[in-house]
Amino acid sequence: EAGVTQSPTHLIKTRGQQATLRCSPISGHTSVYWYQQALGLGLQFLLWYDEGEERNRGNFPPRFSGRQFPNYSSELNVNALELEDSALYLCASSLLDQNTEAFFGQGTRLTVV
Amino acid sequence: QKEVEQNSGPLSVPEGAIASLNCTYSDRGSQSFFWYRQYSGKSPELIMFIYSNGDKEDGRFTAQLNKASQYVSLLIRDSQPSDSATYLCAVKIDYNKLIFGAGTRLAVHP
């Protein structure tokens, strides 16, 4: 069974540009989570989607946005990139059940220059 | 108060010893708890999941949950140098929102 897949693996953008990151969850999982992990720091909760709807949002500015498609895959968009947006962006998926595990993709390393 | 708190470490233990990692959480309604291992530059890997009070064992790993004290721990028996990593405690709140502590760095020295 395929795990969570993220693309691209690496992304280099210039300050002010937009970045789009993609995530495909494990088959059957409807919940998708996005996290930002800056170098040497912990996982900061960005967004949680389930059944196509945004269920919760972390303390990030509106230029961080996303969506979930009918097949439960998800996109994270970051507009007006800033140097401090450089980080590892991680996607995880889970069933919509609090007593089930969440599994991560390999992440997208975004570098803003 | 942070929702999930962990000691950042590093926790240094000799090879073969028991490593004990601790985590506290603030939301009394939290129902399920997770331990992930993360090697530098890699994505987190799930190693334990617990939602009932008490102990849960899987190989060299034991997770312990005490909901009354809002405390969850991870014991690693017979620690190996390959266990050296950052261990992340995670909690599901608001039914299915998954949030993380800052992680504890574990260093196992030969």
Side-chain angles (χ1 to χ4, degrees), chain B residues 22-64:
Chain B
N22 305 314
C23 172
T24 58
Y25 59 94
S26 60
D27 186 342
R28 283 198 168 274
S30 301
Q31 292 296 320
S32 52
F33 309 86
F34 307 83
W35 284 100
Y36 289 82
R37 176 174 62 196
Q38 187 177 30
Y39 294 109
S40 181
K42 303 296 185 182
S43 67
E45 172 193 10
L46 180 69
I47 54 173
M48 288 293 286
F49 160 52
I50 187 168
Y51 58 85
S52 298
N53 270 332
D55 295 359
K56 179 180 179 182
E57 186 175 318
D58 184 0
R60 296 186 295 115
F61 300 99
T62 299
Q64 299 174 316

Side-chain angles (χ1 to χ4, degrees), chain A residues 31-35 43-50 54-60 92 94-100 102, chain B residues 3-4 27 29-34 36 90-100:
Chain A
S31 278
V32 171
Y33 309 87
W34 286 97
Y35 299 88
L43 273 69
Q44 301 301 313
F45 173 77
L46 265 167
L47 290 159
W48 164 31
Y49 290 96
D50 189 84
E54 182 181 299
R55 297 300 184 108
N56 208 302
R57 180 183 180 85
N59 188 25
F60 280 83
S94 170
L95 295 171
L96 182 61
D97 181 339
Q98 60 183 341
N99 292 330
T100 59
Chain B
E3 292 174 298
V4 183
D27 186 342
S30 301
Q31 292 296 320
S32 52
F33 309 86
F34 307 83
Y36 289 82
V91 177
K92 278 193 176 180
I93 64 172
D94 299 337
Y95 190 71
N96 214 40
K97 176 183 174 182
L98 184 64
I99 58 170
F100 284 78

Side-chain angles (χ1 to χ4, degrees), chain A residues 15-74:
Chain A
R15 190 172 49 184
Q17 286 188 317
Q18 177 193 37
T20 298
L21 289 64
R22 296 179 177 83
C23 173
S24 292
I26 290 171
S27 178
H29 285 188
T30 61
S31 278
V32 171
Y33 309 87
W34 286 97
Y35 299 88
Q36 181 196 65
Q37 188 175 35
L39 193 62
L41 298 181
L43 273 69
Q44 301 301 313
F45 173 77
L46 265 167
L47 290 159
W48 164 31
Y49 290 96
D50 189 84
E51 294 285 359
E53 294 188 6
E54 182 181 299
R55 297 300 184 108
N56 208 302
R57 180 183 180 85
N59 188 25
F60 280 83
R63 57 191 187 81
F64 286 84
S65 65
R67 54 180 172 167
Q68 187 178 35
F69 299 98
N71 66 354
Y72 305 119
S73 66
S74 177

